[in-house]
Amino acid sequence: MSDVSADTVSAEDRKLLTMARSARARIGAIEGAAVRDGDGRTYTGVSISLPSFSVSALRLAVASAVAAGASTLEAALVVTEASMVDGQDLAAVRDVTTGIPVYLATPDGSIAAAGTA
């Protein structure tokens, strides 16, 4: 992933940031994520950790998109305090679509890095 300026992020991808931050804040989750599918529909996810299972925010967002019938993704964004997107999270995105932008944002809303899945 590389550093990116907010000026280089499209308006549609900035909407993913708003959605991911809102999802994260709603329940006080460690991470929030949002993806946009090939039809322009968006899906959010938050990190969940229960005694019987856990799932990351990005994997939940991808799973929600697939469960709704999405066959392709256009972009993904994760809001986290981590310094990089988890490799298994990127693999989940690649399971659906390769070569799309994946953004890493900090909880304060700054886009810290961008890469491709």
Side-chain angles (χ1 to χ4, degrees), residues 9-103:
V9 178
S10 73
E12 287 299 309
D13 290 348
R14 283 194 300 272
K15 288 179 189 176
L16 294 177
L17 175 61
T18 300
M19 294 179 71
R21 289 184 73 211
S22 296
R24 180 179 181 268
R26 191 173 306 116
I27 67 163
I30 293 171
E31 292 182 334
V35 298
R36 185 177 58 255
D37 73 11
D39 293 327
R41 298 175 296 186
T42 54
Y43 308 87
T44 62
V46 295
S47 53
I48 297 172
S49 182
L50 298 173
S52 62
F53 79 98
S54 63
V55 64
S56 73
L58 186 52
R59 281 181 255 176
L60 182 55
V62 169
S64 295
V66 170
S71 59
T72 61
L73 299 176
E74 290 183 346
L77 183 140
V78 181
V79 175
T80 182
E81 292 182 13
S83 60
M84 59 190 294
V85 177
D86 181 82
Q88 289 185 324
D89 288 353
L90 290 172
V93 172
R94 280 189 219 104
D95 284 345
V96 181
T97 306
T98 60
I100 68 162
V102 178
Y103 300 98

